[in-house]
């Protein structure tokens, strides 16, 4: 954004701050707008109407804007307010969140609240494991009443009913992308009115088949969270004799008090309503019921359970607390985000509100599936392990518990719904395409020749059936994919490059691809997911759990590779934990041991107590307070121990000679230099690990082989050993620069030691996939208005599940198709940067738009029913230009410059689109259809290695067109 742009936006955003709700209503009326939206994707804000530009600017500059997918506005005649629905994130499912009826001073307050609350719902739903995204509805209180409470009075009953009916129609018009529920200012009766207008309402009364009042379940969830936190702090979950101060004895507080009483806790009760106080005294004579409810913050309690209202933990109350644990049902307990750190600084463990009070939403979110009380009980039990997970995460990373919960929730939110996938996004697309914002009820669906979701899977299956991926030509390989995590964009670059290479060699190439078993990272992830300590189960059970996760990720990886169009022969799929490969690993070990290369020795290095294994220096990271384990972030210890080593000094010299003599080559000189340097100082490699997960280490039954040994075995197996005594090296391997030293070099050396030849003859190194994130540069943003406080700085981050910034390839494939995704990767490659491949939003847009243009141009040119026309000079000129670009692409493949091929493809699409536009303007300027028929094979030959699906599809259309013409002439 240029400084000028920024100023214009800041001015526009400031305007929004001065708008009242009535101003917004008048603006919509003036412009005759009934439905409007602001949508956001890939760095692009899309507005349904220009008049909404200030709101778009407000979002972009707002501290509360967290890449919300959409915000909708509605207006209905005769209703004195506006309607809003916020859709934050629909990856885990359709957006769900309560409907608030509340007075708002300004449009800015309304929008900030909606943005914040809908993101909160994403996190609450995700952390609870619900397959719902996050949303929120807000109706600003109509001017006829002064407070939400007053609006409940009977004089407003008729107006209220009309209001909710109209909002119900608004929700219906959104086609289910937003599901509504009860919240502040709304009640079950209102939900019943909404339900009369749409089928996207939850939290319905029990007499309509809904789930009814969740309060007792909420109280049970809070109790389980409290027990888990007590276990975390004191090593026991027994609350007998523990002094617990409960604020508020209402719907949730009262059953919580009862549960605590039964467990023998010493109760202190602060309640505002005198009649409830009396009732509490009568029921619990041993409890201390405070005369002044405000003194609850000062009492001598060990646990504080706020169950009354929000904003109870703030700069004023936190210093007064004597309790060491805060765990209660109230929503929005923290006055501001910084209060989480205030609590942490005072050594108070805070169980984030949305973690322990989730039962309200959990109870009703899944009522569409029918109601079973046991579901709710089971879900409440889940609060216990989840609380432990959050508290342990916070302790390990030394962050506040609120931040730990947010991070874990954000990771869960990135997971795609297992059944409906990216349906939310597709509904948004559909609302745009069908003219929702024009207020028409007639929905349009444009005709497209190529619909990725419909055509790609079929094309891939056909290729698989035809054996297109089990070539018997030269082998091309990609580095192994880690099963420590589900597939994400960071993992698919190597296999994609391998696939482009194989396709550019005419599909005769043999594709070699397999898995990294995940090693310590997978083991750590499994430990994290266990609700109990790992030592409570046996090694055998733990390994079984690792196997399950490995298998699940393996299946997801294979499936998504297929969706991305990356071909491989499933029979040749490599997995170090499979019976076949385990055997190869063992044979390899004995072969090396027999030749005297394996021997015991002393290892002076690091040990991670959490992962319980030795670490190489590369697995240790420096932090402000000492050295930490790269995986689990725990502090590491220095240690000297007995380990097993592999000595490959002789092979290092052989490999050096092979590189210098040109038998082993590299795509770039830096990689070559790095490898030669590594070989010069190669020390014996430690191959023993004190982990529970991995290939067996022969002779040391309690230990396993280092993952690098297993992966090197994978390379020799891929080359053909031991089926062949001395297999040919694989022609080309694509590898992330961080895998060069850790995988390529050991594989080359082990292959040389085993059968006298290297595993790979040409090595192409590419950068690790990174994404661009925005960070705030301002140190004290809270002191400023949104539009003034955000100066964004661009930071690059590696994509990693641990950072919660992963995107699964499937999610993009389902929305835009594999061709767009492939082109995005390839456009992001930079010629001379072997350290980072930055997937930017602008490249994503460029790729998507290019494929959409290609689709639109070819569909319009090939549309049936156009009469044949004379060939014009423009036709030949187009074919010549695109032919030349295609030749450049073909030459670029041989140099492994897939980025150049991708750029030529986009240029070719631009030429084609310009031609299609000129034909549309003046049909006599070219032959149109005939030219397209001639052009498609030219484009397919040059560019289908990059984007195979759309070009295969149009090739089929052309064949059909030629057949039809032949029939016509015959
Ligand atoms: P409620 O209105 O039934 O109970 C609140 C009680 O607190 C009332 O008895 C009220 O008199 C008392 N109170 C109000 N201000 C007080 C103060 N300053 N000091 C002491 N007592 C005070 O509400 P509820 O349904 O029990 O919900 C309580 C909190 O939990 C709310 O913040 C709500 O949003 C949250 N919550 C409730 C559920 C649920 O299932 N009901 C679910 C999630 C979150």
């Amino acid at each position: 954004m240029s400084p000028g742009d920024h100023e214009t936006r800041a001015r526009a955003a400031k305007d929004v701050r001065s708008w009242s709700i009535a101003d917004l209503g008048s603006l919509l009326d003036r412009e005759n707008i009934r439905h409007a939206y602001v949508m956001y994707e890939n760095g692009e804000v899309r507005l349904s109407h220009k008049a909404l530009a200030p709101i778009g600017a407000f979002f972009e500059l707002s501290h509360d804007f967290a890449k919300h997918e959409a915000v909708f506005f509605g207006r209905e005649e005769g209703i004195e307010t506006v309607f809003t629905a916020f859709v934050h994130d629909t990856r885990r499912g359709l957006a769900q969140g309560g409907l608030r009826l509340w007075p708002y001073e300004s449009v800015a307050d309304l929008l900030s609240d909606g943005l914040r609350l809908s993101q909160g719902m994403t996190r609450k739903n995700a952390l609870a494991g619900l397959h719902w995204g996050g949303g929120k509805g807000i109706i600003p209180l109509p001017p006829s009443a002064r407070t939400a409470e007053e609006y409940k009075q009977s004089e407003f009953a008729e107006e209220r009913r009309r209001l909710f009916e109209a909002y119900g129609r608004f929700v219906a018009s959104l086609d289910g992308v937003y599901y509504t529920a009860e919240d502040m200012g709304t009640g079950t009766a209102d939900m019943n009115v909404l339900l009369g207008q749409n089928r996207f309402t939850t939290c319905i009364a029990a007499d309509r088949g809904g789930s009814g009042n969740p309060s007792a379940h909420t109280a049970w969830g809070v109790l389980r969270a409290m027990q888990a936190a007590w276990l975390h702090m004191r090593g026991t979950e027994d609350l007998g004799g523990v002094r617990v101060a409960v604020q508020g004895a209402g719907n949730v507080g009262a059953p919580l008090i009862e549960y605590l009483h039964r467990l023998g806790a010493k109760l202190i009760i602060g309640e505002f309503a005198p009649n409830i106080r009396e009732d509490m005294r009568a029921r619990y004579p041993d409890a201390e019921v405070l005369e002044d409810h405000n003194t609850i913050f000062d009492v001598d309690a060990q646990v504080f359970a706020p169950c009354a209202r929000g904003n109870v933990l703030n700069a004023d109350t936190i210093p007064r607390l004597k309790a060491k644990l805060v765990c209660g049902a109230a929503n929005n307990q923290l006055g501001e985000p910084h209060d989480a750190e205030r609590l942490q600084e005072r050594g108070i463990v805070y169980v984030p509100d949305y973690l322990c009070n989730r039962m309200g939403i959990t109870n009703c979110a899944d009522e569409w599936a029918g109601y079973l009380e046991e579901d709710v009980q089971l879900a409440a039990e889940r609060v216990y392990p989840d609380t432990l997970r959050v508290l342990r995460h916070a302790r390990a990373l030394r962050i506040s518990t609120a931040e730990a919960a947010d991070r874990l929730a954000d990771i869960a939110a990135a997971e795609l719904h297992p059944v409906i996938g990216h349906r939310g996004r597709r509904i948004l697309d559909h609302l745009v395409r069908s003219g929702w914002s024009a207020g028409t009820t007639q929905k349009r669906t444009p005709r497209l020749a190529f619909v990725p979701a419909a055509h790609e899977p079929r094309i891939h299956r056909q290729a698989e059936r035809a054996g297109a991926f089990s070539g018997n030509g030269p082998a091309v390989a990609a580095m192994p994919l880690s099963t420590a995590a589900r597939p994400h964009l960071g993992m698919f670059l190597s296999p994609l490059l391998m696939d482009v290479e194989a396709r550019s060699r005419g599909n005769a190439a043999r594709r070699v691809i397999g898995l990294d078993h995940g090693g310590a990272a997978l083991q750590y992830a499994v430990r994290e997911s266990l609700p109990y300590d790992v030592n409570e189960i046996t090694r055998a059970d733990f390994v079984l759990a690792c196997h399950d996760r490995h298998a699940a990720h393996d299946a997801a990886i294979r499936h998504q590779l297929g969706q991305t169009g990356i071909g491989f022969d499933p029979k040749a799929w490599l997995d170090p934990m499979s019976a076949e490969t385990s055997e190869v690993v063992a044979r390899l070990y004995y072969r090396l041991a027999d030749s005297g290369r394996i021997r015991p020795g002393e290892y002076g290095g690091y040990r991670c107590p959490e992962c319980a294994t030795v670490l190489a220096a590369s697995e240790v990271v420096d932090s402000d307070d000492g050295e930490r384990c790269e995986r689990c972030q725990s502090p590491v210890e220095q240690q000297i121990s007995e380990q097993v080593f592999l000595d490959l000094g002789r092979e290092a010299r052989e490999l050096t000679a092979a590189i210098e003599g040109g038998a082993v080559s590299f795509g770039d000189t830096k990689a070559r230099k790095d490898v030669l340097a590594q070989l010069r100082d190669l020390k014996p490699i430690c191959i023993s690990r004190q982990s529970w997960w991995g290939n067996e280490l022969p002779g040391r039954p309690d230990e396993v082989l280092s993952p690098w040994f297993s992966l090197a075995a994978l390379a020799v197996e891929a080359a053909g050993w031991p089926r062949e005594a001395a297999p040919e090296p694989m022609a080309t391997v694509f590898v992330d620069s961080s895998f060069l030293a850790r995988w390529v070099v050991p594989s080359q050396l082990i292959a040389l030691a085993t059968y006298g030849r290297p595993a790979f003859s040409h090595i192409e190194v590419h950068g690790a996939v990174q994404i661009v994130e925005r960070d705030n540069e301002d140190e004290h943003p809270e002191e400023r208005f949104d539009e003034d406080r955000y100066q964004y700085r661009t930071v690059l981050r590696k994509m990693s599940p641990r950072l919660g910034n992963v995107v699964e390839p499937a999610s993009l494939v389902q929305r835009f198709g594999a061709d767009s995704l492939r082109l995005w990767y390839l456009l992001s490659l930079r010629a001379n940067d072997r350290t980072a491949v930055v997937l930017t939003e602008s490249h994503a847009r460029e790729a998507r738009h290019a494929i959409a243009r290609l689709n639109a141009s070819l569909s319009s040119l090939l549309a049936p029913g156009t009469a044949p026309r004379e060939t014009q000079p423009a036709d030949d000129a187009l074919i010549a230009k695109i032919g030349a670009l295609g030749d450049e692409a073909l030459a670029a493949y041989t140099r492994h410059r897939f980025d150049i091929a991708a750029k030529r493809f986009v240029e070719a699409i631009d030429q084609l689109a310009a031609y299609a536009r000129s034909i549309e303007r003046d049909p006599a300027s070219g032959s149109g259809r005939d030219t397209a028929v001639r052009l498609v094979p030219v484009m397919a030959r040059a560019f289908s290695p990059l984007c195979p699906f759309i070009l295969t599809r149009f090739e089929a259309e052309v064949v059909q067109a030629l057949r039809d013409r032949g029939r016509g002439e015959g």
Side-chain angles (χ1 to χ4, degrees):
M1 199 193 300
S2 74
D5 278 353
H6 183 80
E7 271 167 34
T8 319
R9 275 180 217 206
R11 256 199 314 277
K14 210 167 227 153
D15 286 347
V16 175
R17 199 164 289 288
S18 66
W19 288 356
S20 67
I21 303 296
D23 292 338
L24 176 61
S26 321
L27 170 82
L28 297 177
D29 292 344
R30 216 169 35 244
E31 301 281 332
N32 199 17
I33 297 175
R34 288 285 162 265
H35 285 163
Y37 59 75
V38 178
M39 287 195 195
Y40 179 83
E41 187 168 33
N42 286 334
E44 213 174 16
V45 172
R46 227 176 346 163
L47 305 171
S48 58
H49 301 82
K50 276 213 182 82
L52 258 50
I55 292 182
F58 179 86
F59 283 157
E60 281 188 276
L61 296 177
S62 166
H63 159 66
D64 296 308
F65 177 68
K67 302 191 167 179
H68 286 64
E69 291 176 15
V71 179
F72 297 100
F73 299 88
R75 180 89 169 140
E76 208 177 275
E77 225 173 296
I79 304 285
E80 287 297 311
T81 185
V82 293
F83 296 143
T84 59
F86 294 77
V87 172
H88 173 244
D89 190 329
T90 59
R91 285 173 295 178
R92 264 192 92 86
L94 301 167
Q96 198 248 15
L99 169 62
R100 193 163 268 205
L101 177 73
W102 210 246
Y104 284 93
E105 287 277 311
S106 76
V107 173
D109 290 349
L110 160 74
L111 298 177
S112 299
D113 233 15
L115 292 173
R116 204 166 39 78
L117 293 167
S118 58
Q119 185 189 27
M121 282 313 298
T122 298
R123 288 178 166 157
K124 190 173 197 163
N125 287 337
L127 201 61
L130 295 173
H131 278 295
W132 284 102
K136 198 80 197 176
I138 299 185
I139 309 178
L141 187 72
S144 47
R146 272 162 310 173
T147 64
E149 212 42 49
E150 186 186 323
Y151 203 59
K152 286 181 185 155
Q153 288 167 12
S154 56
E155 60 186 289
F156 295 103
E158 177 54 23
E159 181 185 326
R160 189 178 181 100
R161 189 186 50 75
R162 281 194 303 114
L163 177 76
F164 279 91
E165 279 177 355
Y167 192 81
R169 286 189 284 276
F170 175 64
V171 170
S173 76
L174 296 174
D175 283 346
V177 75
Y178 167 61
Y179 271 67
T180 193
E182 200 179 312
D183 194 51
M184 260 160 61
T186 60
T188 319
D190 302 319
M191 294 304 114
N192 288 348
V193 176
L194 290 176
L195 187 64
Q197 302 295 322
N198 64 58
R199 47 180 298 277
F200 310 122
T201 301
T202 59
C203 294
I204 298 161
D207 63 7
R208 305 246 171 142
S211 52
N213 190 335
S215 302
H217 298 297
T218 303
W220 186 249
V222 172
L223 179 78
R224 295 298 285 149
M226 204 182 278
Q227 289 175 320
W230 204 245
L231 175 77
H232 176 80
M233 296 162 64
R234 299 288 156 89
T236 167
E237 60 163 55
D238 183 5
L239 294 171
V242 174
R243 296 185 304 281
V244 185
V246 182
Q247 182 187 36
N251 285 322
V252 184
L256 178 66
I257 288 169
E258 175 60 27
Y259 300 143
L260 285 165
H261 168 73
R262 284 191 217 154
L263 291 176
K266 292 213 169 81
L267 288 157
I268 305 165
I269 300 169
E271 165 57 52
F272 168 83
N275 57 332
I276 303 182
R277 284 207 296 270
E278 278 323 301
D279 182 42
M280 288 291 127
R281 283 198 184 102
R283 275 212 265 172
Y284 308 106
D286 290 345
E288 181 186 346
V289 180
L290 301 172
E291 210 34 60
D292 175 2
H293 65 269
N294 283 318
T295 57
I296 192 94
F297 301 105
D298 309 300
V299 297
D300 182 23
Q302 292 161 287
V303 182
F304 174 48
C307 299
R309 55 186 190 85
N311 186 19
V312 286
L313 302 170
N314 52 43
D316 168 42
T317 59
I318 293 172
R320 289 159 61 190
L321 290 180
K322 301 206 172 53
K324 284 294 166 212
L325 168 64
V326 176
C327 176
N331 274 317
N332 306 322
Q333 291 170 26
L334 300 177
E336 54 170 359
H338 179 59
D339 290 321
E341 277 109 58
R342 281 203 178 100
L343 288 163
Q344 191 187 9
E345 279 158 19
R346 286 215 47 216
I348 299 172
V349 174
Y350 165 61
V351 178
D353 44 18
Y354 72 85
L355 165 62
C356 62
N357 75 9
R358 61 163 72 150
M359 291 313 298
I361 199 71
T362 306
N363 183 51
C364 67
D366 283 339
E367 62 192 12
W368 62 269
Y371 190 76
L372 277 176
E373 189 144 15
E374 69 201 41
D375 291 348
V376 194
Q377 284 165 358
L378 285 173
E381 283 305 314
R382 228 195 102 150
V383 177
Y384 187 96
D386 283 354
T387 304
L388 276 180
R389 197 156 61 98
V390 167
L391 300 184
R392 285 177 181 164
H393 197 63
R395 183 185 275 172
L397 300 190
R398 303 198 183 169
I399 53 179
S400 74
T401 51
E403 192 180 342
D406 286 354
R407 287 198 198 178
L408 291 171
D410 289 344
I411 291 170
E415 224 172 78
L416 205 64
H417 190 290
V419 179
I420 65 170
H422 234 317
R423 203 173 173 83
R425 275 284 190 187
R426 292 172 66 191
I427 296 176
L428 295 180
D429 286 347
H430 181 73
L431 289 171
V432 173
R433 280 209 311 265
S434 62
W436 174 84
S437 56
T440 49
T441 46
Q442 188 80 43
K443 287 177 180 157
R444 291 178 279 124
T445 315
R447 194 193 92 86
L448 292 173
F450 175 72
V451 181
H455 294 120
E456 287 180 351
R458 216 170 6 178
I459 293 170
H460 192 77
R461 264 197 311 277
Q462 275 165 2
E464 237 172 18
R465 271 202 208 115
F469 306 134
S470 43
N472 50 9
V476 293
M479 71 180 206
L481 302 176
S482 171
T483 51
R486 282 182 61 84
H488 59 79
L489 290 181
M491 288 161 58
F492 275 27
L493 183 57
S494 290
L496 174 63
L497 299 178
M498 174 201 72
D499 184 70
V500 174
E501 166 86 348
R503 288 178 192 265
S504 73
R505 288 176 176 236
N507 268 340
R510 182 162 66 91
R511 295 156 158 89
V512 176
I513 178 165
L515 298 175
D516 166 348
H517 60 56
L522 180 116
Q523 181 159 321
Y524 183 69
V526 171
R527 284 169 79 117
E528 281 274 272
S529 70
L530 294 175
Y532 25 73
D533 197 79
V534 64
N535 292 320
E536 288 175 27
I537 60 171
T538 62
R539 176 174 174 147
D541 281 345
F542 182 74
V543 171
L544 215 58
C546 290
H547 265 294
D548 286 348
R549 181 167 294 231
H550 172 76
H553 289 172
D554 172 358
I557 288 169
R558 290 201 217 195
H559 178 63
Q560 297 200 24
L561 283 173
Q563 283 182 308
T564 314
I566 295 170
F568 58 88
D569 175 6
K571 283 190 282 250
W573 182 253
L574 298 162
D575 171 2
M577 302 312 288
S578 70
E580 300 79 27
T581 306
S582 299
E583 208 205 301
V584 175
V585 172
R587 281 179 76 156
L588 188 65
Y589 180 89
Y590 287 118
R591 174 87 162 224
L592 293 166
D594 289 348
S595 63
R597 288 176 175 89
I598 290 181
R599 53 179 178 71
E602 250 181 17
Y603 182 82
Y606 299 91
R607 192 187 118 83
C608 170
E610 186 69 24
C611 300
T613 190
V614 293
L615 299 177
S618 62
E619 294 166 314
V620 172
V621 287
D622 265 336
S623 73
D624 296 343
D625 45 4
E627 287 155 322
R628 287 172 170 269
C629 170
E630 179 193 44
R631 307 249 177 252
C632 69
Q633 304 290 322
S634 308
V636 295
E637 300 157 358
Q638 293 209 334
Q639 179 210 49
I640 296 183
S641 56
E642 274 294 310
Q643 304 290 340
V644 179
F645 289 85
L646 177 61
D647 187 351
L648 297 167
R650 202 172 81 204
E651 290 70 27
R653 289 187 293 280
E654 285 172 25
L655 184 57
T656 304
I659 294 170
E660 285 171 345
V664 171
S665 59
F666 291 84
D668 71 308
T669 46
K670 171 144 192 327
R672 182 176 188 272
K673 237 169 73 195
D674 289 351
V675 168
L676 286 172
Q678 189 188 354
L679 293 173
R680 239 187 335 269
D681 322 315
L682 191 78
K683 307 253 171 353
I685 307 168
C686 173
I687 57 166
S688 49
R689 290 289 183 275
Q690 288 68 59
S691 310
W692 282 4
W693 168 244
N695 292 110
E696 266 173 44
L697 176 58
R700 292 173 65 137
D702 289 340
E703 301 182 19
V704 296
L705 281 160
S706 141
W708 303 110
F709 189 91
S710 305
L711 294 186
L714 219 57
V716 302
E717 187 190 14
W721 188 86
R723 270 177 291 115
E724 294 169 50
E728 283 280 320
M730 288 179 269
T732 309
V733 61
F734 294 91
V735 60
D736 176 326
S737 52
S738 66
F739 262 58
L740 189 61
R742 300 206 253 178
W743 180 54
V744 174
V745 170
S747 301
Q748 296 285 65
L749 297 175
I750 286 180
L752 279 165
T754 313
Y755 50 78
R757 285 174 160 194
F760 312 108
S761 53
H762 182 77
I763 297 147
E764 277 291 331
V765 177
H766 60 75
V769 169
Q770 320 240 325
I771 54 166
V772 185
E773 289 181 2
R774 295 201 304 181
D775 244 12
N776 186 10
E777 259 180 346
D778 200 334
E779 282 201 359
H780 300 288
E782 61 279 1
E783 289 161 16
R784 309 191 192 194
F785 277 139
D786 277 346
E787 56 271 22
D788 296 332
R789 71 177 161 186
Y790 263 74
Q791 294 291 332
Y792 287 112
R793 167 177 65 161
T794 301
V795 288
L796 286 187
R797 292 229 171 85
K798 221 171 141 161
M799 205 174 255
S800 122
R802 189 148 280 283
L803 294 173
N805 59 4
V806 297
V807 178
E808 293 206 18
S811 69
L812 296 167
V813 169
Q814 282 181 6
R815 288 217 51 223
F816 308 116
D819 286 327
S820 301
L821 175 60
R822 293 170 66 108
L823 193 56
W824 180 24
Y825 271 115
L826 298 170
L827 287 171
S828 306
L829 295 173
R830 276 184 301 184
N832 297 318
D833 192 344
R834 306 288 166 175
T835 53
V837 172
V838 185
L839 294 182
T840 62
E841 290 172 336
S842 59
H843 278 138
R845 266 202 310 275
E846 186 183 357
R848 262 171 55 198
H849 291 174
I851 298 295
R853 273 204 313 278
L854 177 64
N855 189 10
S857 310
L858 286 178
S859 321
S860 84
L861 291 173
L862 288 168
T866 46
R869 277 189 300 269
E870 288 289 298
T871 305
Q872 299 294 323
D875 302 330
D876 292 332
L878 178 74
I879 291 179
K881 261 188 243 156
I882 291 185
L885 290 167
D887 288 341
E888 285 181 45
L890 290 170
Y893 294 132
T894 61
R895 291 179 282 128
H896 297 118
R897 290 298 306 274
F898 304 155
D899 54 326
I900 294 184
K903 287 195 187 95
R904 297 300 166 266
F905 186 29
V906 175
E907 284 166 34
I909 293 170
D910 288 343
Q911 297 281 348
L912 172 70
Y915 173 84
R917 273 198 308 275
S918 72
I919 294 280
E920 219 159 83
R921 275 196 307 271
D922 173 12
S925 64
S927 78
R929 187 142 187 259
D930 281 347
T931 303
V933 166
R934 283 162 63 203
L935 196 61
V936 166
V938 175
M939 292 190 88
R941 191 173 76 93
F943 302 118
S944 61
L946 310 172
C947 296
F949 293 108
I950 187 165
L951 291 165
T952 305
R953 167 74 192 174
F954 278 109
E955 272 187 301
E957 289 231 338
V958 163
V959 170
Q960 188 60 39
L962 290 174
R963 227 182 257 147
D964 292 348
R965 198 163 61 185
R967 218 176 282 135
E969 280 164 6

